[in-house]
Amino acid sequence: MPAPDEDHPVDADLPARVERELVDYLDTRRAEAQAADPAFADAVDALRGFVLGGGKRIRPTFAWWGWRAGGGDPGGAEAPAVLRAISALELLQAGALIHDDLIDASAVRRGAPTIHVAFAGRHRQHGWLGQPERFGLGVAVLLGDIALTWADDMLADSGLPAAPLRRCRAPWQRMRTEMLAGQYLDIFTQVTGNESADAALRVDRLKTAAYTVERPLHLGAAIAGADPAAVEALRSFGADIGVAFQLRDDLLGVFGDPEVTGKPAGDDLREGKRTLLVAVALERARERGEHAAAETLRSALGRPDLDEGTVRTVQGLLTDLGAVRAVEDRIAALTEGALGTLRAAPITRTAVAALTQLAVTATERTS
């Protein structure tokens, strides 16, 4: 049996293990839904398909390596319960995405219709009473709520002993609050037209970094009972990599290949997102007195009917103004700082190696 500081078969097979945990859990909850009413079970099937239909299982992976970094033994008796507990992060993510797509009026996610769009389509197909969009909105709110509720249930019923379950309560609670705070600030900056880089980075820190990397690492470390110095180092590493992850997402939201990302090119522009990419471009335009460029960019933000030609024009402006290069440089600096923190952290060598690779994967991805 490998020691805790050596590679273990679960490490390499983690996404598939998480997938199996989700299948088992969702099948059980689906049976409960069927007992309540077949129509409800049909809606739960859509949630099940959404959760299992894509995603890289990034959050459980970081949580697993937070646990391993804190000395968790992948061959120990507690490991199966840890795996179930961290898999709950995928349900939290599903609820956030379903609600986010509704808030942003996004039509496509992972190459398929978003939940609210799909159920509006069902309404039209069957000729039901009322407005299709209202029905789609209602179903998306409810399925997002179900995912968030079941995430709590899955963690609580994971089989973790009382002590680690108690230790992970604080990072779990803070993660949920930070995620919602970031989502609120995201829409708040859009309606107030806040174009500052500080506002964009604050949203990145709360909406993405905290619940994608930092808090999952914290969650895993708390389950393991890691010492405070290890937790602090993991959180610092996670905060930087999480922001870098979101900055990469911002670039993909404007320049990404739809065949790879599963979303239309320029979708962030249509949604009016005030990202760091946009903030830097507007700042550079002001500094250079390029008022026409700034107005072109502003006029593109929040336009659902934005055509491909205008998207290409904005892509050119973002590049010519140096915003793309500035964001790439910020990603590189954040990643370098995070890896320096990681190398000095009082954690296992195996965890350092794994988290280094995860950091590179998260910040250099194309989807």
Side-chain angles (χ1 to χ4, degrees), residues 180-190 199 202-203 206:
L180 295 170
Q183 180 70 307
Y184 175 78
L185 290 176
D186 188 20
I187 60 176
F188 185 69
T189 57
Q190 291 180 46
R202 184 64 175 161
V203 171
L206 289 169

Side-chain angles (χ1 to χ4, degrees), residues 82-130:
V82 173
L83 191 57
R84 284 190 291 274
I86 64 174
S87 296
L89 288 162
E90 286 298 300
L91 292 176
L92 187 75
Q93 162 76 343
L97 290 180
I98 291 169
H99 285 165
D100 192 49
D101 286 340
L102 180 61
I103 291 168
D104 292 339
S106 297
V108 177
R109 167 75 65 178
R110 298 169 182 164
T114 49
I115 290 291
H116 65 280
V117 169
F119 275 87
R122 290 192 193 189
H123 187 289
R124 292 189 191 91
Q125 179 183 356
H126 292 286
W128 291 333
L129 301 175

Side-chain angles (χ1 to χ4, degrees), residues 105-365:
S106 297
V108 177
R109 167 75 65 178
R110 298 169 182 164
T114 49
I115 290 291
H116 65 280
V117 169
F119 275 87
R122 290 192 193 189
H123 187 289
R124 292 189 191 91
Q125 179 183 356
H126 292 286
W128 291 333
L129 301 175
Q131 300 175 358
E133 290 74 18
R134 292 287 298 174
F135 177 69
L137 181 154
V139 174
V141 169
L142 292 171
L143 289 183
D145 287 349
I146 291 167
L148 296 173
T149 300
W150 286 358
D152 286 346
D153 292 348
M154 191 175 188
L155 176 64
D157 298 335
S158 62
L160 284 176
L165 193 60
R166 184 172 59 252
R167 288 196 298 266
C168 75
R169 185 176 299 132
W172 181 263
Q173 290 174 343
R174 289 169 188 165
M175 176 177 58
R176 291 180 306 168
T177 299
E178 288 160 350
M179 179 185 76
L180 295 170
Q183 180 70 307
Y184 175 78
L185 290 176
D186 188 20
I187 60 176
F188 185 69
T189 57
Q190 291 180 46
V191 299
T192 57
N194 192 331
E195 298 175 350
S196 72
D198 286 346
L201 286 169
R202 184 64 175 161
V203 171
D204 292 345
R205 170 71 180 80
L206 289 169
K207 184 180 177 183
T208 300
Y211 99 107
T212 300
V213 187
E214 180 189 351
R215 292 301 185 185
L217 283 168
H218 188 184
L219 182 77
I223 293 172
D227 67 67
V231 172
E232 182 179 356
L234 288 168
R235 286 190 58 198
S236 177
F237 162 82
D240 283 348
I241 291 299
V243 172
F245 177 93
Q246 180 57 51
L247 294 181
R248 175 63 60 200
D249 204 54
D250 293 343
L251 289 169
L252 292 172
V254 177
F255 293 91
D257 181 352
E259 295 296 323
V260 178
T261 64
K263 297 184 71 174
D267 225 28
D268 280 4
L269 300 174
R270 295 183 182 91
E271 293 166 9
K273 291 187 178 297
R274 262 63 179 182
T275 62
L276 182 66
L277 180 67
V278 170
V280 171
L282 290 172
E283 182 180 355
R284 297 284 176 87
R286 284 193 300 271
E287 290 172 350
R288 299 177 185 180
E290 297 186 21
H291 305 298
E295 286 310 306
T296 297
L297 181 52
R298 286 194 185 96
S299 67
L301 292 174
R303 276 183 51 194
D305 62 343
L306 202 62
D307 59 76
E308 292 182 7
T310 306
V311 169
R312 287 193 294 271
T313 297
V314 171
Q315 289 173 339
L317 287 174
L318 293 171
T319 302
D320 294 343
L321 289 166
V324 174
R325 182 72 266 160
V327 171
E328 289 283 8
D329 289 346
R330 181 69 70 99
I331 291 171
L334 285 166
T335 304
E336 182 180 354
L339 293 178
T341 299
L342 187 65
R343 287 190 291 268
I347 61 176
T348 63
R349 296 185 305 277
T350 302
V352 169
L355 288 171
T356 297
Q357 183 56 52
L358 283 171
V360 172
T361 300
T363 57
E364 295 183 358
R365 73 193 197 284

